[in-house]
């Protein structure tokens, strides 16, 4: 999902000044076809190029897809319900133990119920109730442990949402890249058709050679192959997006908006601070520490005894008066078991601290890496737009003029054409890397970049 599609050969190259190239090749084709004869030509295409389907429908903004994913993604929904379920645990663990009610029947002289009830002073029917009472403070501590666990679950649910949204952005950026480059490949194929025709015209009048024509045909075939590969990548990426959105795979195709360069309005220090304050994974670990700290406090409290109160009423069938009995009991804890429980809680507390430290270092390292990636990528994009691209176009124009005046061979012209296309590919690929880095920073810091 996070792969970057690198095509460094001609048939994957994209960026070119198409207005300039179209004017050039159109003029070149018209000039070379003027007065052309029809000698035996070298091998021509064995079949016409297949019709390349254009995208139908309007582009769907990324923000709309993000909202849809947050509402319909099964992973996001599952983590949300897990958090909602955890919110009901504190009430359970803080409640008093269940009250026990009992009914007793004591008979004399026979095992049958109520036998001898009216002729024995010992026979009776009794009703009683029993209630366990934890030591004061234990119930509140148990509730706090559950509340901290619910806080951790809430942070995990938010982390899952951000992860799903981040993955959606990555796939969306790559889909936009593939769809845009697909359109460029289509236009490049049309230009190469003109190149082939121009080379054939020059060959027919004796100004060119068969090798130039064959090279033009070869590049045309390569573009058709790359177009087919782009269609495959497009289908795979759309399938991934539909999975994230919870859409049926047979639903309508997704068209991405064109990628644009976004600025990064934060410094590295600001992003690191926001990650410390807003990162969901760090919040989850912090809640786990609070949970383990409370668990240690509860383990200390469990050395205290619990209590039990009972009350019973017994009604006799003779002249003996009824009985009333109240009982107060103390449940003494097993100190060996409680010492082991305390040791376990303390070790878990230290584990939670180390996990928080490790998670914080991981997040801050990723923020720094993505910041470096985004800023250096922005610098490289500026070099492309201000230097490499216009320089390659100027070189191509120079090769064009030389070729028109028979001072340049076809190989040099084709090399200039390749340079322009390769630089366009590198520029677009760099733009995907830049936007992917910003998407990662959004996930790690919780900020919403414009």
């Amino acid at each position: 999902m996070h792969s970057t599609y690198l095509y460094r050969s001609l048939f994957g190259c994209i960026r070119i000044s198409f207005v300039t190239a179209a004017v050039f090749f159109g003029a070149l084709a018209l000039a070379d076809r003027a007065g052309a004869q029809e000698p035996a030509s070298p091998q021509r295409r064995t079949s016409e190029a297949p019709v390349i389907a254009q995208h139908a429908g309007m582009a769907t903004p990324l923000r709309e897809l993000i909202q849809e994913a947050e509402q319909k993604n099964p992973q996001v929904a599952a983590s949300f319900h897990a958090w909602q379920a955890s919110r009901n645990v504190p009430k359970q663990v803080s409640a008093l133990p269940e009250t026990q009610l009992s009914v007793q029947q004591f008979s004399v002289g026979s095992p049958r119920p109520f036998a001898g009830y009216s002729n024995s002073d010992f026979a009776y029917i009794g009703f009683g109730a029993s209630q366990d009472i934890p030591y004061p403070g234990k119930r509140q501590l148990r509730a706090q442990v559950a509340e901290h666990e619910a806080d951790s679950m809430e942070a995990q649910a938010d982390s899952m949402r951000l992860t799903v949204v981040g993955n959606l952005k990555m796939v969306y950026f790559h889909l936009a890249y593939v769809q845009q480059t697909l359109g460029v490949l289509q236009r490049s194929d049309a230009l190469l058709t003109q190149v082939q025709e121009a080379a054939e015209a020059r060959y027919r009048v004796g100004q060119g050679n068969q090798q130039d024509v064959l090279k033009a045909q070869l590049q045309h075939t390569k573009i058709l192959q790359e177009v087919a590969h782009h269609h495959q990548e497009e289908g795979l990426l759309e399938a991934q997006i539909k999975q994230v959105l919870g859409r049926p795979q047979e639903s309508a195709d997704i068209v991405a908006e064109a990628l644009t360069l976004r600025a990064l309005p934060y410094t590295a220090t600001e992003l690191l601070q926001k990650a410390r304050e807003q990162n969901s994974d760090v919040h989850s670990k912090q809640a786990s520490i609070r949970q383990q700290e409370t668990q240690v406090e509860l383990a200390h409290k469990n050395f205290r005894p619990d209590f039990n109160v009972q009350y019973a009423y017994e009604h006799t069938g003779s002249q003996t008066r009824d009985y009333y009995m109240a009982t107060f009991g103390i449940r003494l804890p097993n100190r060996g078991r409680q010492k082991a429980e305390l040791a376990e809680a303390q070790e878990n507390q230290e584990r939670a601290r180390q996990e928080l430290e490790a998670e914080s270092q991981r997040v801050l390292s990723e923020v720094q890496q993505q910041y470096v990636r985004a800023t250096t990528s922005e610098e490289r994009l500026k070099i492309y737009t201000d230097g490499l691209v216009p320089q390659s176009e100027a070189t191509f124009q120079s090769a064009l003029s030389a070729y028109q005046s028979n001072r340049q061979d076809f190989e040099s012209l084709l090399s200039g054409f390749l340079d322009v296309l390769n630089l366009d590919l590198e520029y677009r690929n760099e733009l995907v890397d830049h936007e992917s880095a910003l998407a990662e920073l959004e996930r790690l810091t919780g900020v919403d970049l414009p």
Side-chain angles (χ1 to χ4, degrees), residues 31 33 40 51 54 66 81 88 139 142 151 153 174 192 201 206 233 243 263 272 325 331 339 357 433-434 444:
R33 281 199 298 267
V51 177
Q54 297 287 340
I66 290 176
H81 289 299
N88 295 286
R139 292 163 53 202
R142 290 168 185 165
D151 293 340
M153 294 292 293
H174 287 122
L192 282 175
E233 292 297 327
Q243 177 188 3
L272 291 172
M325 181 172 61
R331 182 179 292 107
K339 287 181 179 180
E357 179 65 21
D433 286 344
H434 180 269
L444 292 168

Side-chain angles (χ1 to χ4, degrees), residues 264 268 271 365-380 430 434 437 441:
L264 181 59
L271 289 173
S365 175
E366 286 193 18
V367 169
Q368 184 65 32
Q369 292 179 50
Q370 296 301 331
Y371 177 81
V372 172
R373 179 183 171 192
T375 53
T376 55
S377 178
E378 187 172 349
E379 294 175 359
R380 286 196 295 265
E430 192 67 47
H434 180 269
L441 287 174

Side-chain angles (χ1 to χ4, degrees), residues 12 37 45 54 96 106 137 157 159 177 187 199 212 226 228 238 243 250 254 261 264 287 293 311 316-317 329 366 397:
Q37 303 297 322
R45 298 182 212 166
Q54 297 287 340
L96 281 170
F106 185 76
S159 176
Y177 170 83
R187 294 188 291 271
D212 295 343
E226 189 61 17
E238 287 189 22
Q243 177 188 3
E250 60 272 14
I254 299 173
L261 178 64
L264 181 59
E293 290 173 347
Y311 183 82
T316 63
E366 286 193 18
Q397 289 296 327

Side-chain angles (χ1 to χ4, degrees), residues 434-447:
H434 180 269
E435 294 305 302
S436 298
L438 294 190
E440 277 295 294
L441 287 174
E442 289 176 323
R443 182 184 67 84
L444 292 168
T445 63
V447 300

Side-chain angles (χ1 to χ4, degrees), residues 88-371:
N88 295 286
V89 177
K91 293 182 180 179
Q92 301 177 46
V93 298
S94 63
L96 281 170
E98 287 77 5
T99 302
Q100 296 181 1
L101 300 177
S102 61
V103 177
Q104 294 179 327
Q105 187 272 320
F106 185 76
S107 60
V108 178
S110 173
R112 291 180 297 118
F114 303 105
Y117 175 74
S118 60
N119 56 13
S120 173
D121 293 338
F122 296 100
Y124 67 86
I125 297 176
F127 304 91
S130 176
Q131 177 67 60
D132 291 329
I133 303 176
Y135 191 86
K138 287 185 178 181
R139 292 163 53 202
Q140 291 81 356
L141 288 174
R142 290 168 185 165
Q144 291 177 19
V145 170
E147 288 171 357
H148 294 321
E149 184 176 4
D151 293 340
S152 178
M153 294 292 293
E154 180 182 8
Q156 292 177 28
D158 189 55
S159 176
M160 175 59 67
R161 179 185 64 82
L162 292 174
T163 299
V164 169
V165 170
N167 292 338
L168 173 61
K169 291 178 180 179
M170 298 293 183
V171 182
Y172 185 89
F173 294 152
H174 287 122
L175 177 63
Y177 170 83
V178 169
Q179 290 179 344
Q180 291 176 43
T181 57
L182 183 59
V184 172
L185 286 173
Q186 295 169 356
R187 294 188 291 271
S188 298
D189 181 60
L191 291 176
L192 282 175
T193 300
Q194 298 181 25
V195 173
Q196 178 181 341
E197 293 174 353
E200 290 175 350
R202 292 178 65 87
Y203 176 75
R204 286 194 295 269
V205 298
Q207 295 180 354
N209 55 61
Q210 182 181 13
Q211 185 180 11
D212 295 343
V213 179
L214 294 176
K215 286 182 179 180
Q217 292 176 350
L218 175 62
Q219 298 305 331
H220 168 76
T221 305
K222 286 183 176 181
I223 284 186
L224 293 182
Q225 181 187 34
E226 189 61 17
V227 166
H229 178 70
H230 270 57
H231 280 305
Q232 174 186 337
E233 292 297 327
E234 183 183 25
L236 295 175
L237 293 170
E238 287 189 22
Q240 294 179 36
I241 291 180
K242 290 177 182 179
Q243 177 188 3
V244 174
L245 299 178
R247 291 185 184 181
Q249 288 297 324
E250 60 272 14
S251 60
D253 293 339
I254 299 173
V255 180
E257 290 184 318
L259 288 179
T260 56
L261 178 64
R262 292 185 295 168
L264 181 59
Y266 298 101
T267 64
T269 302
E270 292 172 337
L271 289 173
L272 291 172
Q273 184 61 31
K274 288 184 179 296
R276 294 186 184 96
E277 297 173 353
Q278 300 179 180
N279 183 269
S280 299
D281 294 328
V282 173
H283 285 177
S284 177
K285 297 300 182 182
Q286 291 172 342
S288 295
I289 284 187
R290 293 192 294 269
Q291 177 186 359
Q292 295 303 325
E293 290 173 347
T294 309
Q295 190 69 50
V296 170
E297 188 177 353
L298 178 60
H300 282 290
K301 185 72 70 174
N302 283 338
F303 281 92
R304 303 293 184 179
D306 294 330
F307 309 106
N308 175 270
V309 292
Q310 300 180 23
Y311 183 82
Y313 163 73
E314 298 176 357
H315 175 70
T316 63
S318 63
Q319 300 299 321
T320 306
R321 290 183 295 179
D322 294 341
Y323 296 95
Y324 305 89
M325 181 172 61
T327 305
F328 178 79
I330 299 178
R331 182 179 292 107
L332 299 177
N334 184 314
R335 296 190 64 84
R337 183 178 67 83
Q338 294 307 132
K339 287 181 179 180
E341 179 184 336
L342 176 60
E344 178 188 9
Q346 291 172 336
E347 292 298 329
N348 284 332
Q349 181 183 16
E350 184 61 27
R351 171 187 58 81
R353 289 174 179 171
Q354 296 301 324
E355 288 180 350
L356 173 61
E357 179 65 21
E359 186 65 21
S360 298
Q361 292 297 333
R362 182 192 69 82
V363 169
L364 295 179
S365 175
E366 286 193 18
V367 169
Q368 184 65 32
Q369 292 179 50
Q370 296 301 331
Y371 177 81

Side-chain angles (χ1 to χ4, degrees), residues 14-23 184 187-188 191 421 428:
I14 320 163
R15 179 157 181 76
I16 185 171
S17 175
F18 287 104
V19 175
T20 301
V23 171
V184 172
R187 294 188 291 271
S188 298
L191 291 176
L421 290 175
R428 292 176 183 271

